[in-house]
Amino acid sequence: MSTIDAMTANPDPAGAPGSGEVPEDVRRLLLRVVKNSDARLEDEVRAWAEEVGPEQAADRLAAFVELADLSPIRQLAFQALTFVGEPGGAAVQRLREHPFTGPFATAWLIQHGHLPDDALGPSDELLAIAESLAAMAAIDAANVVAGLRTTGDGGRQHEVVAQLWRVPHPGVADVLDAVSRAHPDKGLAKEARRSLHKLRSSRG
């Protein structure tokens, strides 16, 4: 499923019932960027933020991140927060409490000098990896292998795959399945199958 498919097939990607409504203007904005190769996220977001006001833009983007249930959409909205100015920082701080984007929020705050370098712990790092790989798996499972390689050398990749089953993220099963099927390293593919088996066993 492409990001476009995800956004059009699931136009109101809310979380739990009653948790709120996804801001429609944010969905339209992100869909325009995804569908139009000439549309740059930064330019589109800055123009929109000037129209609605930076505070409103930050609040709506944060609400979208909190309610979206698909990793690619969630990550695109999170990236957009970078371009709304100072209010984006407060919104990112709020997103530290989000179960999936929390590590990204922490990393953003570290990068911008709001938190010390050691604020991102090992479990946060693994969750961030799971979120990134889940976004890739949702678009094209073949991308997961390339994404996994960005985590480090072969040993580090084995370590990540071996631990992913412990991460409380709904996309982990798809990630491990993709690695088990597509990774050219047979040992790593086997590790992914073993981790996937542990995940399924732990969920009954």
Side-chain angles (χ1 to χ4, degrees), residues 46-170:
R46 290 192 187 281
W48 170 69
E50 184 175 346
E51 178 183 340
V52 303
E55 291 81 7
Q56 279 290 325
D59 285 346
R60 292 179 191 179
L61 282 167
F64 192 96
V65 169
E66 290 171 329
L67 294 171
D69 63 358
L70 294 171
S71 293
I73 302 171
R74 193 162 53 230
Q75 287 194 28
L76 189 61
F78 188 91
Q79 184 181 352
L81 276 165
T82 305
F83 306 124
V84 299
E86 191 65 29
V92 172
Q93 182 68 48
R94 189 173 93 201
L95 289 172
R96 288 190 73 194
E97 304 303 318
H98 189 278
F100 303 139
T101 61
F104 287 97
T106 300
W108 189 96
L109 292 166
I110 291 172
Q111 182 181 2
H112 289 79
H114 300 294
L115 290 174
D117 291 344
D118 60 357
L120 193 67
S123 61
D124 292 328
E125 183 181 3
L126 198 58
L127 180 55
I129 291 172
E131 169 76 356
S132 294
L133 296 180
M136 296 174 190
I139 296 173
D140 186 346
N143 294 335
V144 176
V145 173
L148 183 61
R149 287 174 177 150
T150 66
T151 64
D153 59 18
R156 173 57 176 162
Q157 292 178 49
H158 274 270
E159 179 184 346
V160 168
V161 169
Q163 294 298 319
L164 273 178
W165 72 274
R166 302 177 184 274
V167 179
H169 190 292

Side-chain angles (χ1 to χ4, degrees), residues 148 154 157-158 161 179 183 185-193:
L148 183 61
Q157 292 178 49
H158 274 270
V161 169
V179 174
H183 206 289
D185 183 326
K186 293 182 179 180
L188 211 156
K190 183 177 180 179
E191 186 68 61
R193 288 192 293 273

Side-chain angles (χ1 to χ4, degrees), residues 32-44:
R32 183 165 63 249
V33 172
V34 171
K35 293 178 70 174
N36 184 357
S37 60
D38 293 329
R40 294 179 65 245
L41 179 64
E42 179 176 358
D43 294 340
E44 293 288 334

